[in-house]
Structure formats: C-alpha cells, structure tokens
Amino acid sequence: LEHKQEYLTDNFGRVHNYLRISLTEHCNLRCFYCMPEEGLAIRNKETYLTASEIIKTAKALTAIGVNKIRLTGGEPLIRKEFTEIATELSRLPIELALTTNGILVHKHIEFFKEIGLTNINISLDSLDPNKNLLITKRDYFKQIRDNIALLIENGIVPKLNVVVMRNINDNEIIDFIELTKLSSIDVRFIEFMPFNGNKWTLDKCFSFDEIIHAVENHYGRNHFKTIDDGPNSTSKNFRVKDYKGSFGIISSITKPFCEGCNRIRLTADGKLKNCLFSSSEFDMLTPLREGKEILPVLKNCLKNKKEVRAGILPKDKNIELLELNRSMISIGG
Ligand code: SAM
Ligand code: SF4
C-alpha cells in the first residue's frame, strides 16, 4: 500500500485520501450561486460515468489508500442508481459521506441506517421560507426542515451548510448559531465562491472576519471558543459557551486552507479535478471505457496540483479569474 500511496501524493507531500464523487450534475433546486440562470446544457447520457464505472473507480482508489468518499452533485439523491452505488461503496473500507439538499431524505432514511451512512451534510441557506424560495427558486423549505428533524429523530445529526451572502442572509448568522444551543448540530458558514455564471463579486462575499465580528457582537468575545479542527479540516470551528452543537467557517476566499488539502474530485462526466478552483480536468472516462489503467491519470492530475488554490492567491486582484471554472453544480461541491 505504501508504494501505491505515491499515486495519491502531490508535489507538496499532501496525501489525497478523500475522494468526492459527483453522482449527477442535475438538481431539483436551482440555487443561483451554484448554477447558471439559464441552466446547464443537456448532454448525451454517454458522457456520464455509469454506476459500475463509478464503483470501479472508487474500488481502484480505495485499493491505493483512499479512506473517505463523499457522494455529492448536483443532487446525489436524484440519481437513479443512488442506492446501488451507495450500497457497493458502503462495503469498502472507507468512511462514506453524503452532501444533499435534503429534499429526498425521507425516501432513504431506512436505507441510510441500513448501510450505516451517518455522515450527512445538508444545505440550507435561510431559516425564512420566502428567502429560501428566492435563493433556491423552488418551494421545498418545509420538506427540508422536516427532513432535518427526521434525520435527528433517527440518530443521524447532520451538518448544515450555509453559504453566507451579503444583504441576502448575512443577518441570519446568529439565528443559525442558535440552532446549536439545544442540539448537537454543527452549522458551517461557507464564504460565497465564484463559479461560471453565478455573478460573483468580492463584495457579495461575507468574509470570515465579518462572521466572527457578528458573533462577537452578539455573544461577547469571551463567550465562544475555538474547538479542535482535525488535521484536514476545511473549517475553523467554534462553540458558544454551554451550547451543545458547534459552528464553523469555511473561508475559501479570504483565508484558504490549502496546506491540509486531501481532496480529489470526480465529476459526473468522469473528469478528475485536483482543486475546486482549478479549471484543469483529467479524463478518467476514456481510459475506463477503453479498459486502460486509470492510476496514471490520477498521478498526472496530482502532479499538476498547485500549492494554493489553483495558483490564484488571495492577494490577487484577478480573483475573478476563478469564474472561468465550471459552475459548482457540474463540479460537485
Ligand atoms: N445538492 C447538494 C447540496 O446542495 O448540498 C450537493 C451539491 S452542492 C453543489 C454542495 C455544496 O456546495 C452546497 O452546500 C452548496 O451550498 C455549496 N455551494 C454551491 N455553490 C457555491 C458557491 N458559489 N459558493 C459556496 N458554496 C457553494
Ligand atoms: Fe442543487 Fe445543491 Fe446546487 Fe442548490 S447547491 S442547486 S441544491 S446542487
């Protein structure tokens, strides 16, 4: 295994043992920050990895040391073969995780328990139904809230992902943190990131420092504490005094966390990406279909990984360059 792990190691010594697989680039919501307004171009079915190709890739990467796989998308739960894929992956020696918008959770709750899928992130950007409709363009707020409650009733405490955007939901930070008072839920605030077609500008990004400032203003500087982040964490984590849950901030824009990065991404159309912000893509689908080796593609992908955020530094004025990248929905967040 040690010899094979070299395939997972980049030029900076980072070992990429965490694979995120996008099961589809389609979705039952239309979050404006995630997908272009006009939607995605319809593509031929053959351009997507089949269930068995996904499973084969996951097995090959697990055999060389990948030990965590997160299923994401688009919305992973709308993929027809979701249960087939998740069942197969749950048999591998990995931690299996899921990121979902929560809409279809009630259909799968027994299945999650059956295969032991308990690491679940749910995205919810507002606690106000009207605002939620504005952001997602679909009216599923109640269903999502009910499904969060359903998970908790079943002993699965999800993490909540909240993309914080100025003048949209930056006034709800405290309301979200208050959810952690009585429940061991973990809320993670994500800085708004630029992707193709999402009309990002730096001033719409509500930053790490601004979030901390809002928290200090409300709770007082001495009433919340940093908690341990773990070695590959992308979030800085905190807990308000005597609260059961915690909150964290994912600051990809103002404070990138690339030193500990251990992630590789596989898109629904079979491209490997070494960084969420990089527009470079490495084709796995063709070798898979031609029965060729896929590990050299992985090696090449990681050899090309830049030290910090695809080579775009925080001080760079042209952070807008990031917008050339695919939209989040087709990368797999
Ligand atoms: N559909 C699932 C969901 O919404 O959780 C999984 C895919 S979604 C692309 C994964 C995560 O990416 C979500 O938490 C979403 O909020 C986040 N995301 C999408 N676009 C983003 C952006 N422009 N900036 C920051 N986070 C973004
Ligand atoms: Fe769909 Fe998730 Fe993107 Fe929203 S963030 S459009 S739920 S993939």
Side-chain angles (χ1 to χ4, degrees), residues 79-275:
R79 171 111 188 200
K80 264 206 324 287
E81 305 101 334
F82 170 75
T83 48
E84 178 191 337
I85 296 168
T87 302
E88 282 294 324
L89 300 194
S90 72
R91 297 189 176 128
L92 299 174
I94 53 158
E95 178 187 2
L96 186 62
L98 172 74
T99 301
T100 169
N101 60 28
I103 294 175
L104 294 173
V105 156
H106 57 288
K107 301 219 157 138
H108 294 285
I109 187 82
E110 288 309 319
F111 173 68
F112 294 156
K113 291 202 283 186
E114 222 173 276
I115 65 163
L117 176 47
T118 55
N119 182 335
I120 299 182
N121 293 356
I122 305 247
S123 305
L124 183 69
D125 303 310
S126 174
L127 297 170
D128 167 357
N130 293 325
K131 209 187 281 179
N132 228 70
L133 178 62
L134 199 91
I135 296 170
T136 68
K137 313 218 180 86
R138 296 287 184 275
D139 188 10
Y140 281 112
F141 179 77
K142 185 172 177 314
Q143 196 163 326
I144 296 168
R145 285 302 303 255
D146 288 351
N147 277 344
I148 293 171
L150 181 71
L151 282 169
I152 296 173
E153 275 162 34
N154 281 276
I156 302 176
V157 182
K159 286 189 179 148
L160 282 193
N161 283 352
V162 183
V163 179
V164 191
M165 296 161 284
R166 190 180 314 282
N167 298 335
I168 296 185
N169 59 352
D170 55 325
N171 59 347
E172 294 193 55
I173 289 167
I174 303 303
D175 296 341
F176 272 106
I177 294 177
E178 282 302 298
L179 299 178
T180 70
K181 186 171 185 173
L182 299 173
S183 157
S184 55
I185 209 161
D186 182 15
V187 175
R188 292 163 350 142
F189 300 111
I190 308 177
E191 286 183 347
F192 178 33
M193 299 183 277
F195 293 100
N196 184 272
N198 79 357
K199 306 198 176 89
W200 181 89
T201 53
L202 185 55
D203 63 294
K204 289 183 196 161
C205 168
F206 200 76
S207 71
F208 180 98
D209 290 344
E210 290 175 298
I211 294 171
I212 290 295
H213 191 71
V215 175
E216 279 180 359
N217 259 350
H218 185 83
Y219 295 102
R221 192 172 288 214
N222 299 322
H223 281 80
F224 70 103
K225 279 210 165 62
T226 311
I227 52 179
D228 187 22
D229 296 331
N232 305 107
S233 176
T234 51
S235 56
K236 276 257 151 272
N237 301 308
F238 307 88
R239 188 191 308 280
V240 177
K241 199 161 176 257
D242 300 328
Y243 280 25
K244 279 178 83 178
S246 57
F247 68 95
I249 307 175
I250 302 180
S251 55
S252 329
I253 300 299
T254 64
K255 297 185 204 294
F257 34 76
C258 306
E259 319 85 71
C261 182
N262 64 342
R263 296 146 179 246
I264 29 174
R265 298 182 141 83
L266 181 65
T267 66
D269 60 333
K271 306 287 193 299
L272 215 51
K273 287 180 80 92
N274 59 30
C275 169

